[in-house]
């Protein structure tokens, strides 16, 4: 499967600052990547779909001006949390839409980024 | 819409016990079905998959069979190890639609 990396793996920032998280597809050219958010002991919540060369598609209830997504190349998508607040503290995971098996596509996930806003 | 329901956790077993984690789904047609595993502090890893009815996915001693008649994809392992302690997510995808996850089942294996 596809190998996906995220950077940084964890970050602490002060309230009001912005944080950028990178998601890289190391061995696969990904036209579509996804950004998820996971709260402790909960499942993953899809935030947005990142499409190379075009604007991201955000899920209902996700503020597009707060969570800026850029997918400028086939191997890199970035998520910028702008003016972060403590309630933005969470585990952010990206994934790559990769191999098509049968009628559907598989997704491969990055290791996640733990964001703590103080 | 499509949905996935997993058995409620947490599940606690002794080493070498038999494991079953139930998963049922609701979807039209024939979605692809997956089990992902998440170890503490990490992202999700694809554990196994099945793309059509009666397919059996297997990996690392885990198995799951795609049962169309019962819309199920239960995860099983004959003898669990402490290192299997993790959260397990059942998921489905249909075509180019979004991946739909179950709520996750936390598994703890005691030595």
């Amino acid at each position: 499967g596809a190998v996906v990396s995220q950077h940084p793996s964890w970050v602490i920032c002060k309230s009001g600052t912005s944080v950028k998280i990178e998601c890289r597809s190391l061995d696969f050219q990904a036209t579509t990547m996804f950004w998820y958010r996971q709260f402790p002991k909960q499942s993953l919540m899809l935030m947005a779909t990142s499409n190379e060369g075009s604007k991201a598609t955000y899920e209902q209830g996700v503020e597009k001006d707060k969570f800026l997504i850029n997918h400028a190349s086939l191997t890199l998508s970035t998520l910028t949390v702008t003016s972060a607040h403590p309630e933005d503290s969470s585990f952010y995971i990206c994934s790559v839409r990769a191999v098509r098996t049968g009628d559907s596509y598989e997704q491969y996930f990055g290791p996640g980024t733990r964001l703590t806003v103080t | 819409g499509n949905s996935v329901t997993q058995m409620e956790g947490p599940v606690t077993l002794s080493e070498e016990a038999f494991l079953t984690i139930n998963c049922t789904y609701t979807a039209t047609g024939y979605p692809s079905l997956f089990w992902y595993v998440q170890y503490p502090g990490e992202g999700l890893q694809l554990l196994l998959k099945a793309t059509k009815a009666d397919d059996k996915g297997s990996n690392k001693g885990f198995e799951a069979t795609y049962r169309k008649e019962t819309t199920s994809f239960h995860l099983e392992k004959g003898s669990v190890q402490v290192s299997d302690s993790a959260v397990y997510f059942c998921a489905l995808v249909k075509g180019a639609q979004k991946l739909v996850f179950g709520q996750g089942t936390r598994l703890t294996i005691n030595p």
Side-chain angles (χ1 to χ4, degrees):
Chain A
V3 179
V4 182
S5 71
Q6 283 184 239
H7 178 79
S9 55
W10 59 271
V11 58
I12 302 172
C13 71
K14 292 186 182 297
S15 187
T17 61
S18 295
V19 174
K20 180 185 285 189
I21 302 170
E22 293 184 347
C23 176
R24 292 185 184 273
S25 177
L26 300 182
D27 59 354
F28 184 84
Q29 293 191 319
T31 56
T32 303
M33 293 185 178
F34 301 90
W35 286 96
Y36 294 85
R37 184 173 181 176
Q38 186 180 32
F39 291 104
K41 298 187 178 181
Q42 294 189 23
S43 189
L44 279 71
M45 181 190 79
L46 179 64
M47 299 175 67
T49 301
S50 169
N51 299 297
E52 188 265 337
S54 64
K55 291 184 178 180
T57 304
Y58 290 82
E59 294 300 299
Q60 192 172 7
V62 177
E63 299 176 60
K64 61 181 68 175
D65 294 332
K66 180 169 187 60
F67 298 99
L68 301 179
I69 292 173
N70 183 281
H71 191 160
S73 78
L74 290 172
T75 59
L76 174 64
S77 176
T78 61
L79 168 68
T80 301
V81 182
T82 62
S83 187
H85 288 95
E87 58 265 30
D88 299 323
S89 299
S90 191
F91 194 52
Y92 293 88
I93 306 175
C94 71
S95 72
V96 167
R97 174 182 280 165
V99 178
R100 180 170 181 149
T101 55
D103 190 37
S104 302
Y105 291 89
E106 294 180 18
Q107 284 187 33
Y108 291 90
F109 289 81
T113 296
R114 170 85 50 203
L115 170 63
T116 301
V117 184
T118 62
Chain B
N2 300 334
S3 66
V4 175
T5 302
Q6 287 180 236
M7 66 185 286
E8 296 244 354
V11 174
T12 302
L13 296 171
S14 297
E15 205 165 20
E16 299 183 3
F18 184 86
L19 168 71
T20 300
I21 300 178
N22 290 336
C23 171
T24 57
Y25 68 90
T26 302
T28 56
Y30 290 85
S32 291
L33 302 175
F34 306 91
W35 275 100
Y36 287 91
V37 57
Q38 184 178 33
Y39 297 102
E42 299 183 12
L44 273 67
Q45 297 177 27
L46 179 62
L47 180 60
L48 53 84
K49 65 185 180 188
T51 59
K52 59 183 187 295
D54 300 325
D55 262 4
K56 178 185 281 188
S58 61
N59 185 27
K60 299 181 181 179
F62 291 90
E63 292 183 340
T65 301
Y66 190 143
R67 301 285 187 200
K68 180 65 175 175
E69 62 277 13
T70 54
T71 61
S72 65
F73 193 54
H74 305 321
L75 183 68
E76 296 182 336
K77 185 174 185 181
S79 177
V80 292
Q81 306 300 313
V82 173
S83 57
D84 294 326
S85 298
V87 180
Y88 292 81
F89 291 95
C90 185
L92 70 80
V93 70
K94 182 79 168 57
Q97 296 175 10
K98 302 166 197 173
L99 191 61
V100 177
F101 287 99
Q103 66 268 42
T105 302
R106 184 173 300 274
L107 173 66
T108 301
I109 307 300
N110 293 321

